[in-house]
mmCIF file of all heavy atoms in Angstrom:
data_model
loop_
_atom_site.group_PDB
_atom_site.id
_atom_site.type_symbol
_atom_site.label_atom_id
_atom_site.label_comp_id
_atom_site.label_asym_id
_atom_site.label_seq_id
_atom_site.Cartn_x
_atom_site.Cartn_y
_atom_site.Cartn_z
ATOM 1 N N SER T 1 -1.652 -2.090 -6.581
ATOM 2 C CA SER T 1 -0.935 -3.223 -5.979
ATOM 3 C C SER T 1 -0.362 -4.194 -6.983
ATOM 4 O O SER T 1 0.667 -4.828 -6.719
ATOM 5 C CB SER T 1 -1.891 -4.022 -5.075
ATOM 6 O OG SER T 1 -2.375 -3.218 -4.036
ATOM 7 N N LYS T 2 -1.018 -4.327 -8.146
ATOM 8 C CA LYS T 2 -0.666 -5.423 -9.049
ATOM 9 C C LYS T 2 -0.294 -5.008 -10.480
ATOM 10 O O LYS T 2 0.396 -5.752 -11.162
ATOM 11 C CB LYS T 2 -1.827 -6.404 -9.136
ATOM 12 C CG LYS T 2 -2.139 -7.110 -7.820
ATOM 13 C CD LYS T 2 -3.350 -7.994 -7.964
ATOM 14 C CE LYS T 2 -3.680 -8.823 -6.751
ATOM 15 N NZ LYS T 2 -3.753 -8.123 -5.500
ATOM 16 N N VAL T 3 -0.755 -3.849 -10.933
ATOM 17 C CA VAL T 3 -0.596 -3.504 -12.355
ATOM 18 C C VAL T 3 0.444 -2.405 -12.567
ATOM 19 O O VAL T 3 1.529 -2.662 -13.069
ATOM 20 C CB VAL T 3 -1.937 -3.122 -12.994
ATOM 21 C CG1 VAL T 3 -1.760 -2.839 -14.476
ATOM 22 C CG2 VAL T 3 -2.972 -4.216 -12.781
ATOM 23 N N GLY T 4 0.110 -1.169 -12.199
ATOM 24 C CA GLY T 4 1.044 -0.062 -12.387
ATOM 25 C C GLY T 4 1.271 0.266 -13.854
ATOM 26 O O GLY T 4 0.534 -0.163 -14.740
ATOM 27 N N SER T 5 2.318 1.036 -14.110
ATOM 28 C CA SER T 5 2.656 1.377 -15.502
ATOM 29 C C SER T 5 3.359 0.196 -16.155
ATOM 30 O O SER T 5 3.894 -0.672 -15.468
ATOM 31 C CB SER T 5 3.538 2.631 -15.537
ATOM 32 O OG SER T 5 4.803 2.364 -14.951
ATOM 33 N N PRO T 6 3.359 0.141 -17.498
ATOM 34 C CA PRO T 6 3.946 -1.018 -18.199
ATOM 35 C C PRO T 6 5.398 -1.336 -17.819
ATOM 36 O O PRO T 6 5.760 -2.494 -17.728
ATOM 37 C CB PRO T 6 3.829 -0.644 -19.673
ATOM 38 C CG PRO T 6 2.691 0.306 -19.730
ATOM 39 C CD PRO T 6 2.744 1.080 -18.431
ATOM 40 N N SER T 7 6.209 -0.318 -17.545
ATOM 41 C CA SER T 7 7.629 -0.550 -17.243
ATOM 42 C C SER T 7 7.934 -0.643 -15.749
ATOM 43 O O SER T 7 9.065 -0.799 -15.344
ATOM 44 C CB SER T 7 8.487 0.549 -17.861
ATOM 45 O OG SER T 7 8.323 0.573 -19.258
ATOM 46 N N SER T 8 6.885 -0.510 -14.920
ATOM 47 C CA SER T 8 7.125 -0.522 -13.480
ATOM 48 C C SER T 8 7.238 -1.960 -12.952
ATOM 49 O O SER T 8 6.863 -2.922 -13.614
ATOM 50 C CB SER T 8 5.998 0.205 -12.740
ATOM 51 O OG SER T 8 4.780 -0.519 -12.838
ATOM 52 N N ARG T 9 7.781 -2.056 -11.734
ATOM 53 C CA ARG T 9 7.798 -3.320 -10.998
ATOM 54 C C ARG T 9 7.315 -2.981 -9.583
ATOM 55 O O ARG T 9 7.984 -2.262 -8.851
ATOM 56 C CB ARG T 9 9.188 -3.939 -10.946
ATOM 57 C CG ARG T 9 9.201 -5.330 -10.267
ATOM 58 C CD ARG T 9 10.601 -5.771 -9.833
ATOM 59 N NE ARG T 9 11.048 -5.017 -8.658
ATOM 60 C CZ ARG T 9 12.058 -4.157 -8.643
ATOM 61 N NH1 ARG T 9 12.756 -3.912 -9.734
ATOM 62 N NH2 ARG T 9 12.373 -3.508 -7.526
ATOM 63 N N ILE T 10 6.167 -3.484 -9.209
ATOM 64 C CA ILE T 10 5.611 -3.205 -7.892
ATOM 65 C C ILE T 10 6.032 -4.317 -6.937
ATOM 66 O O ILE T 10 5.683 -5.491 -7.130
ATOM 67 C CB ILE T 10 4.060 -3.100 -7.954
ATOM 68 C CG1 ILE T 10 3.664 -1.957 -8.867
ATOM 69 C CG2 ILE T 10 3.491 -2.934 -6.543
ATOM 70 C CD1 ILE T 10 2.187 -1.912 -9.217
ATOM 71 N N ASP T 11 6.840 -3.952 -5.925
ATOM 72 C CA ASP T 11 7.230 -4.923 -4.902
ATOM 73 C C ASP T 11 6.157 -5.048 -3.834
ATOM 74 O O ASP T 11 5.834 -6.137 -3.389
ATOM 75 C CB ASP T 11 8.568 -4.528 -4.264
ATOM 76 C CG ASP T 11 9.734 -4.617 -5.242
ATOM 77 O OD1 ASP T 11 9.598 -5.351 -6.252
ATOM 78 O OD2 ASP T 11 10.749 -3.957 -5.010
ATOM 79 N N ARG T 12 5.620 -3.904 -3.411
ATOM 80 C CA ARG T 12 4.509 -3.915 -2.460
ATOM 81 C C ARG T 12 3.854 -2.548 -2.452
ATOM 82 O O ARG T 12 4.453 -1.541 -2.829
ATOM 83 C CB ARG T 12 4.982 -4.321 -1.067
ATOM 84 C CG ARG T 12 5.505 -3.228 -0.181
ATOM 85 C CD ARG T 12 5.772 -3.712 1.234
ATOM 86 N NE ARG T 12 5.955 -2.576 2.120
ATOM 87 C CZ ARG T 12 7.155 -2.042 2.363
ATOM 88 N NH1 ARG T 12 8.255 -2.517 1.830
ATOM 89 N NH2 ARG T 12 7.230 -0.983 3.161
ATOM 90 N N THR T 13 2.608 -2.532 -1.995
ATOM 91 C CA THR T 13 1.876 -1.284 -1.831
ATOM 92 C C THR T 13 1.290 -1.274 -0.435
ATOM 93 O O THR T 13 0.627 -2.238 -0.033
ATOM 94 C CB THR T 13 0.745 -1.155 -2.882
ATOM 95 O OG1 THR T 13 1.325 -1.263 -4.183
ATOM 96 C CG2 THR T 13 0.042 0.197 -2.765
ATOM 97 N N ASP T 14 1.574 -0.222 0.321
ATOM 98 C CA ASP T 14 1.038 -0.055 1.660
ATOM 99 C C ASP T 14 -0.142 0.902 1.606
ATOM 100 O O ASP T 14 -0.041 1.977 0.984
ATOM 101 C CB ASP T 14 2.086 0.514 2.617
ATOM 102 C CG ASP T 14 3.217 -0.470 2.908
ATOM 103 O OD1 ASP T 14 3.071 -1.661 2.567
ATOM 104 O OD2 ASP T 14 4.228 -0.024 3.459
ATOM 105 N N PHE T 15 -1.232 0.517 2.250
ATOM 106 C CA PHE T 15 -2.410 1.372 2.351
ATOM 107 C C PHE T 15 -2.602 1.760 3.807
ATOM 108 O O PHE T 15 -2.412 0.950 4.702
ATOM 109 C CB PHE T 15 -3.659 0.640 1.823
ATOM 110 C CG PHE T 15 -3.557 0.319 0.355
ATOM 111 C CD1 PHE T 15 -3.174 -0.953 -0.059
ATOM 112 C CD2 PHE T 15 -3.814 1.272 -0.602
ATOM 113 C CE1 PHE T 15 -3.062 -1.256 -1.405
ATOM 114 C CE2 PHE T 15 -3.706 0.995 -1.952
ATOM 115 C CZ PHE T 15 -3.332 -0.277 -2.353
ATOM 116 N N SER T 16 -2.975 3.025 4.042
ATOM 117 C CA SER T 16 -3.184 3.491 5.412
ATOM 118 C C SER T 16 -4.309 4.521 5.450
ATOM 119 O O SER T 16 -4.746 5.008 4.395
ATOM 120 C CB SER T 16 -1.903 4.115 5.959
ATOM 121 O OG SER T 16 -1.501 5.201 5.150
ATOM 122 N N ASN T 17 -4.752 4.836 6.642
ATOM 123 C CA ASN T 17 -5.806 5.844 6.846
ATOM 124 C C ASN T 17 -7.055 5.556 6.020
ATOM 125 O O ASN T 17 -7.709 6.503 5.531
ATOM 126 C CB ASN T 17 -5.291 7.260 6.556
ATOM 127 C CG ASN T 17 -4.144 7.647 7.451
ATOM 128 O OD1 ASN T 17 -4.133 7.340 8.635
ATOM 129 N ND2 ASN T 17 -3.136 8.284 6.866
ATOM 130 N N GLU T 18 -7.395 4.292 5.854
ATOM 131 C CA GLU T 18 -8.584 3.940 5.087
ATOM 132 C C GLU T 18 -9.815 4.238 5.938
ATOM 133 O O GLU T 18 -9.925 3.803 7.079
ATOM 134 C CB GLU T 18 -8.543 2.444 4.719
ATOM 135 C CG GLU T 18 -9.549 2.079 3.681
ATOM 136 C CD GLU T 18 -9.215 0.765 2.988
ATOM 137 O OE1 GLU T 18 -8.037 0.334 3.033
ATOM 138 O OE2 GLU T 18 -10.129 0.187 2.421
ATOM 139 N N LYS T 19 -10.730 5.037 5.364
ATOM 140 C CA LYS T 19 -11.905 5.456 6.141
ATOM 141 C C LYS T 19 -13.071 5.819 5.230
ATOM 142 O O LYS T 19 -12.883 6.114 4.044
ATOM 143 C CB LYS T 19 -11.551 6.648 7.026
ATOM 144 C CG LYS T 19 -11.043 7.855 6.242
ATOM 145 C CD LYS T 19 -10.503 8.932 7.154
ATOM 146 C CE LYS T 19 -9.863 10.037 6.315
ATOM 147 N NZ LYS T 19 -9.091 10.976 7.117
ATOM 148 N N THR T 20 -14.257 5.791 5.803
ATOM 149 C CA THR T 20 -15.458 6.251 5.110
ATOM 150 C C THR T 20 -15.527 7.764 5.290
ATOM 151 O O THR T 20 -15.261 8.283 6.382
ATOM 152 C CB THR T 20 -16.701 5.577 5.706
ATOM 153 O OG1 THR T 20 -16.576 4.180 5.558
ATOM 154 C CG2 THR T 20 -17.965 6.034 4.983
ATOM 155 N N ILE T 21 -15.856 8.461 4.211
ATOM 156 C CA ILE T 21 -15.966 9.932 4.262
ATOM 157 C C ILE T 21 -17.347 10.342 3.754
ATOM 158 O O ILE T 21 -18.004 9.595 3.022
ATOM 159 C CB ILE T 21 -14.848 10.605 3.417
ATOM 160 C CG1 ILE T 21 -14.867 10.126 1.969
ATOM 161 C CG2 ILE T 21 -13.483 10.378 4.052
ATOM 162 C CD1 ILE T 21 -13.895 10.844 1.057
ATOM 163 N N SER T 22 -17.779 11.536 4.148
ATOM 164 C CA SER T 22 -19.106 11.989 3.722
ATOM 165 C C SER T 22 -19.030 12.840 2.452
ATOM 166 O O SER T 22 -20.005 12.907 1.699
ATOM 167 C CB SER T 22 -19.785 12.776 4.839
ATOM 168 O OG SER T 22 -18.959 13.803 5.302
ATOM 169 N N ASN T 23 -17.867 13.472 2.201
ATOM 170 C CA ASN T 23 -17.700 14.289 1.001
ATOM 171 C C ASN T 23 -16.303 14.098 0.435
ATOM 172 O O ASN T 23 -15.342 13.870 1.189
ATOM 173 C CB ASN T 23 -17.861 15.791 1.346
ATOM 174 C CG ASN T 23 -19.254 16.114 1.807
ATOM 175 O OD1 ASN T 23 -20.207 15.852 1.105
ATOM 176 N ND2 ASN T 23 -19.351 16.665 2.999
ATOM 177 N N LEU T 24 -16.187 14.221 -0.900
ATOM 178 C CA LEU T 24 -14.871 14.157 -1.533
ATOM 179 C C LEU T 24 -14.107 15.432 -1.226
ATOM 180 O O LEU T 24 -14.684 16.523 -1.218
ATOM 181 C CB LEU T 24 -15.040 14.010 -3.062
ATOM 182 C CG LEU T 24 -15.734 12.740 -3.524
ATOM 183 C CD1 LEU T 24 -15.953 12.793 -5.032
ATOM 184 C CD2 LEU T 24 -14.947 11.497 -3.145
ATOM 185 N N GLU T 25 -12.824 15.312 -0.987
ATOM 186 C CA GLU T 25 -11.985 16.471 -0.706
ATOM 187 C C GLU T 25 -11.346 17.057 -1.959
ATOM 188 O O GLU T 25 -10.748 18.132 -1.911
ATOM 189 C CB GLU T 25 -10.884 16.080 0.288
ATOM 190 C CG GLU T 25 -11.414 15.642 1.628
ATOM 191 C CD GLU T 25 -10.340 15.055 2.524
ATOM 192 O OE1 GLU T 25 -9.150 15.407 2.358
ATOM 193 O OE2 GLU T 25 -10.680 14.227 3.382
ATOM 194 N N TYR T 26 -11.456 16.349 -3.091
ATOM 195 C CA TYR T 26 -10.848 16.789 -4.356
ATOM 196 C C TYR T 26 -11.906 16.742 -5.445
ATOM 197 O O TYR T 26 -12.879 15.985 -5.361
ATOM 198 C CB TYR T 26 -9.686 15.874 -4.730
ATOM 199 C CG TYR T 26 -8.710 15.675 -3.598
ATOM 200 C CD1 TYR T 26 -8.746 14.535 -2.785
ATOM 201 C CD2 TYR T 26 -7.745 16.645 -3.301
ATOM 202 C CE1 TYR T 26 -7.876 14.373 -1.733
ATOM 203 C CE2 TYR T 26 -6.870 16.487 -2.236
ATOM 204 C CZ TYR T 26 -6.934 15.347 -1.455
ATOM 205 O OH TYR T 26 -6.070 15.196 -0.417
ATOM 206 N N SER T 27 -11.694 17.519 -6.490
ATOM 207 C CA SER T 27 -12.640 17.529 -7.610
ATOM 208 C C SER T 27 -12.109 16.746 -8.799
ATOM 209 O O SER T 27 -12.837 16.500 -9.752
ATOM 210 C CB SER T 27 -12.960 18.980 -8.037
ATOM 211 O OG SER T 27 -11.763 19.635 -8.380
ATOM 212 N N ASN T 28 -10.828 16.357 -8.736
ATOM 213 C CA ASN T 28 -10.226 15.590 -9.832
ATOM 214 C C ASN T 28 -9.061 14.784 -9.292
ATOM 215 O O ASN T 28 -8.835 14.762 -8.080
ATOM 216 C CB ASN T 28 -9.799 16.507 -10.973
ATOM 217 C CG ASN T 28 -8.716 17.488 -10.542
ATOM 218 O OD1 ASN T 28 -8.205 17.446 -9.430
ATOM 219 N ND2 ASN T 28 -8.382 18.399 -11.417
ATOM 220 N N PHE T 29 -8.313 14.135 -10.179
ATOM 221 C CA PHE T 29 -7.091 13.431 -9.789
ATOM 222 C C PHE T 29 -5.927 14.157 -10.421
ATOM 223 O O PHE T 29 -5.951 14.465 -11.601
ATOM 224 C CB PHE T 29 -7.139 11.980 -10.256
ATOM 225 C CG PHE T 29 -6.126 11.123 -9.557
ATOM 226 C CD1 PHE T 29 -6.466 10.406 -8.423
ATOM 227 C CD2 PHE T 29 -4.800 11.074 -9.984
ATOM 228 C CE1 PHE T 29 -5.526 9.641 -7.733
ATOM 229 C CE2 PHE T 29 -3.855 10.298 -9.315
ATOM 230 C CZ PHE T 29 -4.221 9.592 -8.194
ATOM 231 N N SER T 30 -4.882 14.440 -9.612
ATOM 232 C CA SER T 30 -3.771 15.219 -10.138
ATOM 233 C C SER T 30 -2.425 14.642 -9.745
ATOM 234 O O SER T 30 -2.307 13.894 -8.772
ATOM 235 C CB SER T 30 -3.880 16.673 -9.629
ATOM 236 O OG SER T 30 -3.772 16.685 -8.216
ATOM 237 N N ILE T 31 -1.411 15.042 -10.509
ATOM 238 C CA ILE T 31 -0.012 14.697 -10.212
ATOM 239 C C ILE T 31 0.531 15.886 -9.413
ATOM 240 O O ILE T 31 0.426 17.032 -9.843
ATOM 241 C CB ILE T 31 0.795 14.484 -11.492
ATOM 242 C CG1 ILE T 31 0.250 13.265 -12.262
ATOM 243 C CG2 ILE T 31 2.273 14.299 -11.150
ATOM 244 C CD1 ILE T 31 0.899 13.035 -13.608
ATOM 245 N N ARG T 32 1.123 15.584 -8.263
ATOM 246 C CA ARG T 32 1.743 16.635 -7.454
ATOM 247 C C ARG T 32 3.257 16.553 -7.632
ATOM 248 O O ARG T 32 3.811 15.498 -7.877
ATOM 249 C CB ARG T 32 1.404 16.449 -5.977
ATOM 250 C CG ARG T 32 -0.052 16.748 -5.675
ATOM 251 C CD ARG T 32 -0.303 16.719 -4.186
ATOM 252 N NE ARG T 32 -1.681 17.081 -3.893
ATOM 253 C CZ ARG T 32 -2.195 17.072 -2.665
ATOM 254 N NH1 ARG T 32 -1.433 16.751 -1.626
ATOM 255 N NH2 ARG T 32 -3.423 17.393 -2.464
ATOM 256 N N TYR T 33 3.914 17.705 -7.441
ATOM 257 C CA TYR T 33 5.359 17.793 -7.589
ATOM 258 C C TYR T 33 6.009 18.276 -6.319
ATOM 259 O O TYR T 33 5.399 18.874 -5.493
ATOM 260 C CB TYR T 33 5.718 18.701 -8.768
ATOM 261 C CG TYR T 33 5.203 18.151 -10.069
ATOM 262 C CD1 TYR T 33 3.969 18.562 -10.564
ATOM 263 C CD2 TYR T 33 5.917 17.206 -10.790
ATOM 264 C CE1 TYR T 33 3.482 18.042 -11.747
ATOM 265 C CE2 TYR T 33 5.436 16.681 -11.984
ATOM 266 C CZ TYR T 33 4.224 17.116 -12.453
ATOM 267 O OH TYR T 33 3.750 16.604 -13.622
#
């Protein structure tokens, strides 16, 4: 919401589908294309 990459400008960040989960669905963090 506030930092981002050094050259970025964040106007706003929308968050949705926020929920409690019992297990992680991913084993790492990745860039998708």
Side-chain angles (χ1 to χ4, degrees):
S1 299
K2 296 176 175 51
V3 182
S5 66
S7 300
S8 68
R9 185 197 73 246
I10 299 169
D11 293 338
R12 87 172 193 268
T13 304
D14 291 347
F15 296 99
S16 60
N17 300 320
E18 193 161 339
K19 59 189 173 191
T20 300
I21 56 174
S22 54
N23 296 303
L24 298 174
E25 297 171 26
Y26 310 99
S27 57
N28 63 5
F29 197 94
S30 63
I31 296 174
R32 290 187 176 177
Y33 298 93

